[in-house]
Amino acid sequence: MDFNWTLFFQFLVIGLATGSLVALVALGYTLVYGIIELINFAHGEVFMMGAFFAATVITLTGVTGDDSAGLIVAIMLLALAGAMIFSALLNRGIDWVAYKRLRNAPRLAPLIAAIGVSFILQNLGIYWKGSNPFTAPSLIPFDWRTYNVLQEWPILRDWFEGSTLRITLMDLFVIAVTLPLLVGLSWFVYRTRLGTAMRATAQDREAAALMGIDINRTIGIAFWLGGSLAGAAGLVALLYNNSARFNMGFQYGLYAFTAAVLGGIGNLAGAVVGGVLIGVIWAMSDGFLGLYIEGWGSQWTNTVIFSILVLVLVFRPSGIFGSPTTEKV
Amino acid sequence: MAAQVTSVPGQPTTGARVEPILETRSVSRRFGGLVAVDQVSIVIPRGSISSVIGPNGAGKTTLFNMIAGIYRPSAGEIRFDGDVLSRASDMGRARYRRPDQIMEAGIARTFQNIRLFANMTALENVQVGMHSRMKAGAVGAMLRTAAVRREEADSRIRAIELLDYVGLGRHAESTAKNMSYGDQRRLEIARALASEPRLLLLDEPTAGMNPQETAGMTRFFDQMRQDLNLTVLLIEHDMKVVMGISDHVSVLDHGQKIAEGTPDEVRANEQVIEAYLGKDAEQTAAALASRQQQVDDGATEVTNS
Amino acid sequence: MAVSASAAPSVADRADRWFKRRQQEDQQRLRWVVIGAVIVALYPFLDSALDLGLLGSLIPMFVFVILAMGLNIVVGYAGLLDIGYVAFFVIGAYGMAFLTSPNSYFVLKGWVPDFLQHFWPAMLLSWVVAAISGVIIGAPTLRLRGDYLAIVTLGFGEIVPDFFTNAEGLTRGPRGIGQIAAPATIPLWGDNEIKFSTQNQANWFWLILVVGLVSLFMITRLYDSRLGRAWQSVREDEIAASSMGVNLVKTKLWAFALGASFSGFAGSIYAGYVGVVYPDQFQFSVSVIILCMVILGGLGNVYGVIVGAIIIGSFDRILAEKLSTPLNWIGEQIGWEAMAEHSLTSDRFLIFGLALVLLMLLRPGGLFPQRARAAEMDPHDPDITMQEREELADVSGRV
Ligand SMILES: Nc1ncnc2c1ncn2[C@@H]1O[C@H](COP(=O)(O)OP(=O)(O)O)[C@@H](O)[C@H]1O
Ligand SMILES: [Mg+2]
């Protein structure tokens, strides 16, 4: 059978969009892990809560897809800001209530507490929006452009003959939210004093403390940042999937954690690359592989991603980029 | 002395040539850019008390950890009783043994910063030390066969003997973390002895002790060597501690071996004095000699009491 | 230094005396266990006399007690956080189903010899299979650091049930496998016999009680042994344990395999009792609930864990439902609609989550802490050299 490049590109685009979403969540895991070596198991639920908050904001404003584009953009910006602030507060609050006092406890104690928090938040999610999936108003029109792929290159023309690349408005929206956040984050981490303090703390907490860095504040910032990124991801996920559910954080959270591990946990750039990779694998397994492998379908995606998680942790715990001494941030 | 401990008389105590029990051949260990141990070769004669001394950060503990299998050497080879314990790839086919295999082969150790099983009793700590000399498995434990019961009873008796031997007989049931610092050090030794080692590695065993205790302890090492047919390898950053009892001293500085020989030879070595004392060498050498005197006095006191 | 002990009691006597004291403590505890077991064993009579009808909830609850005892070996004794323990439960349950159900792929293919298609031999085999799967899952993963290990076990806890959902040809997928065998009837004198069917709840109750007691017996013996000491030493300080001759991977593997084997017991009995297995019974929350039981009762203390399992199990299966009635009544009286309609069963996650967080913050050793374990989990305990443990990382990474 001929390779269906059109579908391949379509799922690739879906994968890239989903992947940038996963990357936003993965960054939260990596930021916190880099500094206090805690797998913040509740992070997926912070993301879920961000989506819920965004849904509430959008519903309250009563905006629908029929309103003017300007209004829709304004409301989306409002929901984005709201979800980011809400999730940041939530994440920081969780740290303050549940993890802070366990800083010197054995590693497993805060991890167990984090699992507890994750359960609490899921239950709160049920109180908030019920236990069934709910839909958000579809604000982004289902609109797309198709492009012919690489028709000008003579050698490639044979392969891609007639293949098209389809990009939806939704994909652009995901990129429009994600890219500025990633740029802003790297600016913060690499160009500001606080960011430098964070990197120093990640590398050697004691030495950083000796140099006069306020460790508690740095930890706090990691939670603020991770939370706000999760909130943004929550809004994006809500609009992208056009639905949300109380347990969405479990799957996204674990996929994002896999992404963070894949990129080398503690490594910011790694989390982004890992996120995109996981997103692409996710999309391909959900929709594309079934064309070629009999019986393949989205039901195997979980198994694939968790197998990646297990294999990476067992054989290459420092991630695909490798050296055990990757710069931690 | 506890009656069960076999006494082996007549071990040579000065640097007589004996077949080495332990030998490191230009072992190195790097941590990132830092070379903590740099091509160190030492030879430990069987039945001796040997020492590795050097200022803090010289790489002594790292060397110990390589011998005990906790770190893998980056280069070089370590041999014990003719067997290769670890070998980095530069010396042929790389091979490394795990710490538990090394202990089973007959090397036991203590730690510089005490690492007892803090929440276990003294007796249990010693029993863990016997782990590799016991056999009971999971099935035997569940069925609690006669053999398993006997083995457990024997291990208790042997543990109490060992605790007696290091002077902790009354503390058998104390939780390790509640014991005094000196007792914890002794307990570490008892735990190490429980594996019936042929070579005992002691990492700064007298750290934090006053001169009297230190003197008593060093005498005890000598006693132990004779009673148990042991070879002892001591680490000290404090030179004076080892001078009185060592047959052989190696000196590390910045990861490199800068001198070795009898205590007297080492004491006289200029490089050593410099490594330890920097510019004020002579002045402090005098101070060192007088402190040595104090220690000797302390030792006398202990034996008289 | 020298010990001269002519007048003092001999070494053997002292070792003995110390041991006798411990034996006495053990016997006292045993007495309580027997008393407790007898009281529990009498319960079915009470249940039928008062027509309480709780046996159907108590039997699965006891299955969870066995699961908690098994997980306690892994988390409490060996200090390995396993948050995917449900994987072994699945394997135990499906093992029973594969061997004894007439709908099972293996039986249909004629691959299961007749003598294995019965409850008891199948239970034994499931037990072994679960233990072996513990080794298979543990062998590559046990050298990982604690938190990574936890995530890997979670991964397996997801993959294994997913597999049973998706491999439809083999497992009949979400429909599950039914008609799983119950234990054969045990004939007694005359017409009396012990039957295991849905009408004989009390017999199931006693069966699970016996299995639980046997498990308890084996587990307490395990802890008080060379292996038990090795577990504790590994938990406290891997580097020191390894330097004292304890083979880290082997010791941890034993914990994994034994822990898994008890959930093989639990899984196969559960499958036999319910009569049908389907993958939805085995979600991540099951792992967390079992973990919750272990932590609530007191890591490392089997008796505490049993109590913890009973507390959580009874809330999960009985109290949440029963307590909703008075709650709703109060709600009606005070005219608060939300309260009048609220069902406590929808708070399960909240309550388990709160339990985990509060326990970690306030009582990391659990309600009935094992002394040593509580001290180890205590953030204020300066003895534990976590930092040092990290720094000598070379050692744990080797088989
Ligand atoms: N695990 C490690 N990682 C990085 N550096 C280490 C490690 N262990 C020891 N070092 C470094 O190696 C050098 C030698 O240390 P050590 O062997 O402990 O010295 P000593 O025992 O002679 O005081 C020191 O500079 C120390 O910081
Ligand atoms: Mg040292």
Side-chain angles (χ1 to χ4, degrees):
Chain A
M1 195 201 313
D2 271 352
F3 194 79
N4 188 336
W5 284 105
T6 301
L7 273 182
F8 177 81
F9 285 127
Q10 196 163 322
F11 282 107
L12 186 67
V13 170
I14 293 178
L16 292 175
T18 322
S20 40
L21 193 63
V22 173
L24 285 181
V25 184
L27 281 169
Y29 282 105
T30 255
L31 278 167
V32 168
Y33 196 92
I35 292 199
I36 52 172
E37 307 216 325
L38 164 69
I39 297 171
N40 183 7
F41 204 85
H43 192 69
E45 274 64 43
V46 172
F47 155 79
M48 174 271 288
M49 286 302 218
F52 278 29
F53 189 83
T56 305
V57 170
I58 292 173
T59 321
L60 277 181
T61 57
V63 69
T64 66
D66 302 331
D67 287 312
S68 73
L71 181 65
I72 289 179
V73 170
I75 295 297
M76 283 201 305
L77 281 176
L78 177 74
L80 178 69
M84 287 178 75
I85 294 171
F86 177 77
S87 289
L89 279 169
L90 181 64
N91 210 27
R92 180 73 178 108
I94 291 169
D95 173 50
W96 197 71
V97 173
Y99 309 151
K100 196 171 177 187
R101 262 167 288 177
L102 297 173
R103 295 265 198 268
N104 297 318
R107 218 183 244 289
L108 298 186
L111 177 58
I112 292 170
I115 295 172
V117 173
S118 139
F119 266 59
I120 295 173
L121 291 178
Q122 286 199 28
N123 214 148
L124 294 181
I126 294 179
Y127 293 156
W128 191 351
K129 294 275 184 192
S131 53
N132 294 320
F134 61 91
T135 54
S138 46
L139 296 183
I140 300 170
F142 189 60
D143 197 2
W144 72 81
R145 300 272 182 286
T146 53
Y147 303 92
N148 286 335
V149 182
L150 295 174
Q151 297 298 338
E152 293 81 37
W153 291 32
I155 311 163
L156 298 176
R157 194 182 301 146
D158 294 344
W159 297 0
F160 297 122
E161 185 66 59
S163 307
T164 53
L165 173 67
R166 193 184 79 173
I167 293 179
T168 63
L169 201 54
M170 186 65 87
D171 300 322
L172 293 179
F173 159 73
V174 174
I175 303 297
V177 176
T178 312
L179 260 190
L181 284 173
L182 293 182
V183 171
L185 180 72
S186 53
W187 172 80
F188 177 83
V189 170
Y190 291 101
R191 291 277 177 274
T192 64
R193 276 176 54 109
L194 279 177
T196 310
M198 270 179 76
R199 282 183 296 144
T201 313
Q203 230 164 49
D204 186 338
R205 185 160 12 154
E206 267 158 43
L210 287 177
M211 302 312 287
I213 291 173
D214 182 346
I215 301 299
N216 275 326
R217 198 168 77 148
T218 318
I219 296 172
I221 290 170
F223 276 94
W224 287 120
L225 283 177
S228 59
L229 293 177
L235 170 86
V236 176
L238 176 78
L239 295 178
Y240 191 75
N241 302 326
N242 201 22
S243 84
R245 196 185 179 188
F246 77 98
N247 62 1
M248 68 194 277
F250 183 71
Q251 191 191 31
Y252 269 94
L254 281 170
Y255 284 17
F257 182 75
T258 306
V261 168
L262 197 60
I265 192 155
N267 181 332
L268 290 184
V272 175
V273 176
V276 171
L277 264 176
I278 292 292
V280 170
I281 293 170
W282 187 352
M284 292 298 169
S285 166
D286 268 6
F288 189 69
L289 287 183
L291 296 179
Y292 298 93
I293 303 172
E294 179 125 20
W296 195 278
S298 59
Q299 78 272 20
W300 288 105
T301 305
N302 253 343
T303 309
V304 170
I305 306 258
F306 287 127
S307 303
I308 293 174
L309 176 64
V310 169
L311 291 175
V312 173
L313 280 179
V314 170
F315 293 107
R316 221 176 153 82
S318 52
I320 37 177
F321 297 125
S323 71
T325 50
T326 358
E327 184 200 12
K328 291 192 305 179
V329 171
Chain B
M1 194 49 53
Q4 285 75 10
V5 176
T6 21
S7 177
V8 177
Q11 284 287 346
T13 45
T14 41
R17 293 238 166 261
V18 203
E19 184 205 341
I21 189 163
L22 183 87
E23 193 181 352
T24 71
R25 297 185 178 169
S26 32
V27 285
S28 306
R29 171 73 203 205
R30 284 182 292 277
F31 294 110
L34 173 81
V35 185
V37 172
D38 190 4
Q39 305 215 353
V40 170
S41 303
I42 55 173
V43 174
I44 309 297
R46 198 177 296 273
S48 67
I49 292 191
S50 302
S51 304
V52 175
I53 63 172
N56 275 326
K60 308 179 295 292
T61 300
T62 307
L63 180 66
F64 252 39
N65 279 337
M66 282 192 286
I67 297 172
I70 290 188
Y71 292 150
R72 296 177 175 195
S74 316
E77 181 179 86
I78 300 170
R79 287 169 160 272
F80 176 67
D81 233 1
D83 272 348
V84 176
L85 286 187
S86 349
R87 177 160 60 200
S89 47
D90 64 325
M91 304 288 268
R93 237 174 73 96
R95 69 176 291 186
Y96 306 99
R97 298 231 190 134
R98 295 187 312 261
D100 55 294
Q101 292 171 321
I102 289 176
M103 158 160 266
E104 203 167 349
I107 301 182
R109 68 167 304 175
T110 65
F111 293 89
Q112 179 174 357
N113 29 18
I114 301 174
R115 300 184 84 124
L116 287 165
F117 305 117
N119 293 295
M120 297 171 92
T121 65
L123 190 103
E124 287 166 340
N125 266 281
V126 177
Q127 278 183 305
V128 173
M130 291 173 198
H131 187 89
S132 57
R133 304 285 172 247
M134 293 171 71
K135 293 193 193 69
V139 179
M142 285 193 274
L143 301 178
R144 207 166 275 181
T145 58
V148 170
R149 280 201 304 266
R150 198 168 333 110
E151 188 185 66
E152 278 288 307
D154 287 348
S155 81
R156 281 192 299 272
I157 292 176
R158 175 105 183 93
I160 292 202
E161 277 168 19
L162 279 166
L163 288 171
D164 280 348
Y165 184 62
V166 300
L168 293 176
R170 275 165 301 130
H171 295 292
E173 287 175 61
S174 310
T175 307
K177 67 175 173 189
N178 295 333
M179 297 169 75
S180 74
Y181 181 80
D183 285 353
Q184 290 192 354
R185 286 230 169 268
R186 284 166 198 277
L187 180 53
E188 267 215 328
I189 293 173
R191 183 179 69 173
L193 291 177
S195 65
E196 298 161 23
R198 282 175 293 154
L199 172 64
L200 180 63
L201 310 177
L202 301 168
D203 195 347
E204 306 209 5
T206 61
M209 293 189 177
N210 66 31
Q212 274 94 337
E213 289 168 330
T214 302
M217 207 55 166
T218 46
R219 269 158 193 283
F220 176 57
F221 298 150
D222 202 29
Q223 183 76 55
M224 203 162 65
R225 182 243 314 241
Q226 289 175 26
D227 291 340
L228 303 174
N229 193 13
L230 271 178
T231 307
V232 178
L233 177 57
L234 258 176
I235 280 187
E236 269 300 341
H237 74 274
D238 194 347
M239 186 189 300
K240 65 184 188 275
V241 173
V242 299
M243 290 306 181
I245 53 159
S246 303
D247 304 317
H248 184 88
V249 178
S250 311
V251 188
L252 291 191
D253 187 29
H254 295 296
Q256 288 173 327
K257 186 176 76 180
I258 56 169
E260 67 181 326
T262 63
D264 286 332
E265 288 163 4
V266 166
R267 209 190 322 244
N269 186 309
E270 300 243 322
Q271 246 186 314
V272 176
I273 296 174
E274 202 161 311
Y276 261 86
L277 313 161
K279 297 175 209 129
D280 307 324
E282 265 161 51
Q283 183 189 345
T284 353
L288 199 130
S290 91
R291 267 202 304 203
Q292 179 66 45
Q293 190 56 46
Q294 280 171 16
V295 173
D296 293 345
D297 293 349
T300 323
E301 255 168 61
V302 170
T303 25
N304 287 349
S305 65
Chain C
M1 193 58 58
V3 183
S4 60
S6 49
S10 81
V11 172
D13 282 349
R14 281 157 53 210
D16 238 29
R17 205 167 51 195
W18 171 82
F19 180 58
K20 289 253 165 57
R21 216 167 29 236
R22 266 185 73 166
Q23 254 183 338
Q24 265 170 9
E25 281 172 27
D26 283 353
Q27 274 165 7
Q28 232 154 27
R29 220 171 291 145
L30 185 67
R31 198 173 311 146
W32 284 112
V33 170
V34 170
I35 292 172
V38 168
I39 293 174
V40 173
L42 291 175
Y43 174 77
F45 299 113
L46 184 76
D47 190 276
S48 69
L50 299 181
D51 204 14
L52 294 172
L54 285 181
L55 285 180
S57 308
L58 286 176
I59 293 165
M61 186 172 119
F62 279 17
V63 169
F64 271 71
V65 173
I66 298 179
L67 286 171
M69 285 198 281
L71 183 61
N72 182 45
I73 298 180
V74 183
V75 186
Y77 289 172
L80 308 164
L81 185 57
D82 180 348
I83 53 177
Y85 190 61
V86 74
F88 303 122
F89 189 32
V90 179
I91 289 168
Y94 269 88
M96 180 56 95
F98 279 149
L99 290 170
T100 69
S101 164
N103 302 331
S104 119
Y105 180 83
F106 298 93
V107 171
L108 289 173
K109 285 261 170 188
W111 291 348
V112 184
D114 282 345
F115 73 94
L116 268 181
Q117 294 184 19
H118 301 281
F119 181 87
W120 295 109
M123 173 162 137
L124 222 58
L125 194 61
S126 307
W127 182 61
V128 174
V129 169
I132 292 173
S133 62
V135 174
I136 291 172
I137 291 182
T141 58
L142 282 176
R143 65 188 96 168
L144 295 177
R145 243 170 31 189
D147 48 352
Y148 280 17
L149 175 70
I151 295 295
V152 168
T153 58
L154 167 66
F156 279 113
E158 293 296 306
I159 292 172
V160 171
D162 270 357
F163 172 80
F164 283 95
T165 314
N166 295 333
E168 293 225 19
L170 205 61
T171 64
R172 299 165 47 83
R175 284 170 300 159
I177 303 176
Q179 290 179 270
I180 299 169
T185 303
I186 304 171
L188 297 176
W189 65 93
D191 281 347
N192 298 307
E193 53 188 15
I194 304 178
K195 275 180 82 169
F196 294 91
S197 71
T198 37
Q199 278 80 51
N200 309 105
Q201 298 270 342
N203 290 341
W204 279 104
F205 184 85
W206 287 317
L207 168 69
I208 187 104
L209 183 63
V210 169
V211 173
L213 285 172
V214 171
S215 306
L216 173 66
F217 187 68
M218 294 202 278
I219 287 172
T220 46
R221 284 188 155 191
L222 270 176
Y223 194 52
D224 191 10
S225 74
R226 170 172 175 262
L227 185 56
R229 277 193 304 271
W231 284 334
Q232 188 174 355
S233 68
V234 167
R235 210 172 71 203
E236 294 219 356
D237 189 336
E238 287 195 2
I239 304 292
S242 170
S243 302
M244 290 308 128
V246 176
N247 181 334
L248 297 179
V249 170
K250 204 167 138 190
T251 305
K252 292 176 180 180
L253 262 185
W254 269 114
F256 240 61
L258 288 166
S261 75
F262 285 100
S263 87
F265 265 156
S268 50
I269 294 180
Y270 186 73
Y273 172 69
V274 181
V276 51
V277 290
Y278 46 90
D280 251 12
Q281 292 163 313
F282 307 100
Q283 290 182 346
F284 174 60
S285 56
V286 174
S287 299
V288 173
I289 289 173
I290 303 170
L291 181 67
C292 221
M293 293 170 170
V294 173
I295 292 173
L296 175 71
L299 283 169
N301 176 3
V302 219
Y303 303 101
V305 165
I306 294 173
V307 176
I310 291 176
I311 293 175
I312 293 202
S314 54
F315 174 80
D316 197 23
R317 295 182 183 275
I318 303 170
L319 288 179
E321 240 166 87
K322 304 255 172 210
L323 288 179
S324 294
T325 322
L327 184 81
N328 296 350
W329 183 80
I330 296 175
E332 270 169 40
Q333 298 309 306
I334 62 176
W336 183 11
E337 200 175 320
M339 193 171 170
E341 286 170 3
H342 188 78
S343 163
L344 282 174
T345 48
S346 64
D347 302 329
R348 293 167 59 220
F349 282 13
L350 179 74
I351 288 173
F352 298 144
L354 270 177
L356 285 178
V357 174
L358 291 178
L359 279 165
M360 283 304 111
L361 290 178
L362 305 175
R363 216 176 151 84
L367 293 181
F368 309 97
Q370 196 224 5
R371 200 170 26 84
R373 204 68 176 83
E376 286 159 29
M377 293 294 283
D378 188 350
H380 310 295
D381 187 348
D383 293 311
I384 308 300
T385 49
M386 288 303 289
Q387 218 60 42
E388 284 173 347
R389 240 178 258 191
E390 308 290 313
E391 99 195 0
L392 299 169
D394 268 16
V395 69
S396 24
R398 261 177 279 162
V399 183

